Structure formats: structure tokens, C-alpha cells
Amino acid sequence: MLAVRWAEMEALALHNVVALDGTFPVLAGASLEAPQGSLVAVLGGNGAGKTSLLRTLAGLTTIVEGSGQVLGFDLSTKASGLVGNVCLLGHGTGLYEELSPQANLKYLATIGRLNRSGVASALDRVGLTGRMATTPLQQLSAGQRRRAALASLILRSPALWLMDEPHASLDAGGRALVDALIAEAIWRGSTVVLTSHDPNEASAAADLVVELVGGATSGARSGGGGIHHVS
Amino acid sequence: MFRDAWAVFVKDLRIEAASRVGLWQVLPFAAIALLLFAFALGPSHRVLASGAAGVTWVGVVFATFLIVGRSQSIEAGAGIAESQRLAGVDPAGVFLGKAGAVAVQLLAVEGLLGVGARLLLDFHCARWWLVVVASLLATIGLSAAGTLYGALVGATRARETLLPMLVLPVLVPVLIAVVRLWQASGVAEGQGLAGWLSILGTFAVIYTAAGILFYGQVQEHS
């Protein structure tokens, strides 16, 4: 349960957080501090609590002990303030399989009060153009569906990006795209938290590396910060 | 709220149009149910005609479970619930949109079963306005109650069996009232219409209001 003081102005601040998802305990003492515009890599084995940490940062779990602030909002009392400011890219796309990437993004733009003109450029940015943009998601490959999910993040352009193993299901081009999108987000001042099974790659790119064991942070250290050099 | 409701309404109907579950599963199911009831009632025209309204609306109620179950299952995709919540969609808007889409599909079922009742069961109607008003009010009640209870059981594994168990007792007043009104439409004049219509109207208003007020909490805790 080690917390690292990364900077004076934290976008993320968890202190010994114990959290429940429903009635199921998912975090057992997680601590983390990271400033705005940083990349945080969360490492840990299966079941260590990586996804739960992301869900907690999104305000989707119930904190029963400890304290947490994200983007200035208290997770125990003001988590609703995160709406519109946080995106969570999990193992699923978060999109409707029966609709095309274009229709999904137009729907998200409407409910998120976003400009619909950003839909085409977001799809273009991830390489989903032409028929791929109008084909139902269920007929696309896993990698293309992942790209559609990335396009939804670009469209929403939140202040906090939470990405659960964002490189999964992607080819080399897709992985490079993810790195470029993360670099762009950080350049714009967003904070990015991602989980990874690859400690070397994550450590080299991230500003801060957090390790989880059994739902608790077992260590935190500075990373290489290599993401700032991705063009 | 209404902007979100319209977005959800259009999205749900687009998904139904793409998947064609309603066209290839719900409508045939409703038609088969009507045929089975007709066979069960026997060849007597008098019996068929007197049972037409009840048979039709039992078929509509059965179809409601299929349509509501489908409506909830499209929200069960991986990450969709979190995505909607973080996007800030208004739960009241989600409720109205989903209930509206369910209502449109129910109206299609009622149209099919109504035609079937006329052709197969000798359903006679002298006052069409009464059939239309009663059907619209019942449809609003069925879709609102179905959508609210559908969200309540949406996250449970046994939602397919839990939904009818929860909703069937609740829908009894609607079923009785709409069947009485359909039967009353067969004669030129009738007593007690206002009472049955007020039951349908009250049910529709109560469940629509409950959905607008509590859908978000139901989603969060289910």
C-alpha cells in the first residue's frame, strides 16, 4: 500500500481505498496519486484488481473505506461529476453489436451532447472508413471492433482515459495507433490510466507504474515516460 | 430527457430493424398463439367470438415478455451499461425511449392479432374508436410496466422466467379492462366504459411516472 507523490496537482488521488462492486469486495487497499496529463500503467496478474481499479476511478464501484478523488470530484460523494469527463475502454467495446460504428458514434454524440461532425473524423482517425464505417459491428473483426471503440474515445475526448489492456486484439498497426492516441491525449492534457500484462513495455512508456496484488497496491514507481516521445 | 428518449427510441428500433427478431420471432409467435387458442376453443362461432378479445390480449401479453426481454438484452452487451452511464444519458430518457420502442412493436403485434381475431375468431366491432383508445392506453401501460420490471430483472441470470412471474400479476387489471372494452366495442352502446378506461389510463400514468422517476435507481441496483 504505497502511494507515490507524483506532483502537487493530482488528477487522481486514491488513499487506501477499499471498494465493493455490488456486494463483492474488489479493492482491498489501493493507493495512487497522479497529476493531470500523465500516463499511469497498472500492472498485476489475473484477478489482481486492475479492472476494478479502473472501474473505481470511473466512479462505478462503492468506496467503503479510504478516500478517492478523481478530477477534483470526491468518489464517495460527487462521483456523478465524472459523467462526461471519463471514458472506460474495457474488454468489451461498449457499443451495440447490431449497429455500425458510424451509427454507434452518432448515438453516443447525441446522448453525450457532442458535435456529430466529429464522428467522421474519429472513424477516419482509426481507419474505419468506407463500408467498414457502415457495417454492423458484429460483422467486423475483433481488431476492427476495437478500433471502433477507440473511435468512441476520440469522439468523446474525455479528461480521463481508462483503458483495460488497450493493445489486446490489435495488430502492429493497431498497437501503434493506440500509442499515438494515448500520446495525443496526454499532449492535450488528458490523464490516461491503462492496465497491461507487459511490464517492460508499460514501464517504458508510463510516467507512473502501479503494481496490484490481491486488490491492493503493492508498489508504485516512476516509469520511463516514453509516451511523451511518441509522435 | 426528451432528446435522450428520442435517441434511445430510434436506436432501439434501428437495432430491431437490423436484427428482425420482432419480424421473425415475436410476430409468428403471437400468430401461432392465436391459432392455438382458436383450435382450443373449438369450431363454435359463438364461443370463438365471445373469446376473441381475451385470446387476442393474452397473446399480446405473452408477446410483451418477448419484446421487453429483447429490449433489455440489447443493453446487456459488454461495457454498454458503463458506457451509457459515463456518457451521462438521462435514465428517464432511457426509460421513455425504450418504453416507446416496445410500444411501437406491441402495436404491430396488436394489429396482427386484431386482424387474426377478425378473420379467425369472428371478432365483431361496432365502435372502432373504443378499440383504438383502449388498445393505445393498454399499450402504454404494458410497455411502461414491462420496461420498468425488465430493468429490475435485467441483470439477473433468470430474467426470462422472472419477468413473467413479476409482471403477470401486475398486468391483470390491464388485461381485464382492455378485454372488457374490446368486448364492449361489439355493441352500439354500453355501460361502465369510463370505469374501464380510467383503469387503463391510471395504470399507464402510474407506471410511466414510476419509470421516469425510478428507472435510474432500478438500473443502478439491479
Side-chain angles (χ1 to χ4, degrees):
Chain A
M1 287 187 269
L2 172 69
V4 169
R5 189 82 180 170
W6 183 250
E8 290 305 313
M9 292 294 290
E10 289 93 4
L12 314 173
L14 299 184
H15 299 286
N16 294 321
V17 164
V18 177
L20 304 178
D21 200 347
T23 57
F24 189 76
V26 289
L27 289 181
S31 298
L32 158 70
E33 289 187 4
Q36 180 187 346
S38 60
L39 172 61
V40 180
V42 181
L43 305 178
N46 293 329
K50 301 188 296 296
T51 302
S52 299
L53 180 62
L54 297 188
R55 287 177 55 78
T56 299
L57 291 171
L60 296 172
T61 64
T62 305
I63 294 178
V64 291
E65 272 186 49
S67 63
Q69 280 210 337
V70 171
L71 305 176
F73 297 101
D74 190 306
L75 288 176
S76 299
T77 58
K78 303 275 186 189
S80 59
L82 295 174
V83 165
N85 293 311
V86 177
C87 276
L88 172 61
L89 176 65
H91 292 293
T93 59
L95 303 174
Y96 294 98
E97 291 284 313
E98 297 88 345
L99 297 180
S100 67
Q102 187 181 66
N104 266 295
L105 263 61
K106 282 183 177 175
Y107 171 70
L108 286 173
T110 304
I111 64 171
R113 276 74 173 156
L114 305 169
N115 194 340
R116 279 185 152 206
S117 62
V119 170
S121 58
L123 290 170
D124 187 53
R125 181 71 182 85
V126 299
L128 291 178
T129 54
R131 281 189 62 190
M132 276 190 292
T134 55
T135 300
L137 223 58
Q138 61 196 1
Q139 292 174 21
L140 299 176
S141 71
Q144 289 167 333
R145 286 204 290 270
R146 196 72 173 166
R147 284 173 183 260
L150 288 168
S152 74
L153 262 69
I154 297 170
L155 176 71
R156 294 196 239 187
S157 191
L160 176 60
W161 296 40
L162 302 170
M163 308 173 86
D164 201 357
E165 297 177 32
H167 297 98
S169 306
L170 291 170
D171 56 18
R175 295 166 70 87
L177 172 67
V178 167
D179 291 341
L181 291 177
I182 292 172
E184 286 171 20
I186 287 172
W187 182 79
R188 285 196 304 271
S190 297
T191 306
V192 180
V193 182
L194 60 82
T195 67
S196 177
H197 281 301
D198 186 341
N200 294 330
E201 192 177 342
S203 298
D207 298 306
L208 176 67
V209 180
V210 175
E211 291 175 30
L212 280 176
V213 176
T217 41
S218 63
R221 56 188 160 80
S222 300
I227 196 68
H228 299 284
H229 305 296
V230 175
S231 59
Chain B
M1 177 174 76
F2 292 109
R3 181 179 169 142
D4 286 347
W6 179 250
V8 171
F9 174 77
V10 171
K11 179 261 295 175
D12 274 20
L13 288 182
R14 285 185 74 165
I15 288 175
E16 282 314 312
S19 66
R20 297 181 183 171
V21 169
L23 186 65
W24 297 118
Q25 292 178 30
V26 179
L27 287 178
F29 168 80
I32 289 168
L34 187 78
L35 274 174
L36 284 176
F37 281 126
F39 285 131
L41 288 173
S44 164
H45 286 290
R46 189 182 58 78
V47 173
L48 285 173
S50 66
V55 165
T56 301
W57 278 93
V58 168
V60 171
V61 168
F62 285 167
T64 302
F65 299 129
L66 296 182
I67 293 169
V68 168
R70 170 67 185 154
S71 171
Q72 292 299 324
S73 73
I74 60 179
E75 304 298 332
I80 286 179
E82 291 90 345
S83 172
Q84 304 281 303
R85 197 165 151 187
L86 292 174
V89 63
D90 185 349
V94 175
F95 168 77
L96 286 177
K98 295 196 83 64
V102 168
V104 167
Q105 295 170 73
L106 275 179
L107 286 172
V109 171
E110 290 163 25
L112 176 77
L113 293 185
V115 171
R118 180 77 186 91
L119 297 176
L120 299 174
L121 306 177
D122 278 343
F123 174 67
H124 173 69
C125 178
R127 289 182 288 182
W128 283 105
W129 69 267
L130 189 55
V131 167
V132 171
V133 172
S135 302
L136 284 175
L137 288 174
T139 302
I140 294 170
L142 290 178
S143 54
T147 302
L148 187 58
Y149 283 103
L152 193 65
V153 301
T156 61
R157 286 183 182 176
R159 60 176 176 262
E160 290 84 2
T161 48
L162 263 180
L163 183 64
M165 282 173 61
L166 269 178
V167 182
L168 264 177
V170 172
L171 297 184
V172 167
V174 175
L175 192 58
I176 293 172
V178 74
V179 168
R180 290 285 185 274
L181 289 165
W182 269 47
Q183 288 170 337
S185 74
V187 293
E189 291 182 15
Q191 299 288 317
L193 297 184
W196 294 119
L197 282 170
S198 67
I199 288 175
L200 289 181
T202 304
F203 188 94
V205 168
I206 287 174
Y207 272 96
T208 302
I212 289 171
L213 291 173
F214 303 122
Y215 193 77
Q217 292 172 46
V218 167
Q219 270 189 318
E220 200 170 317
H221 296 293
S222 64

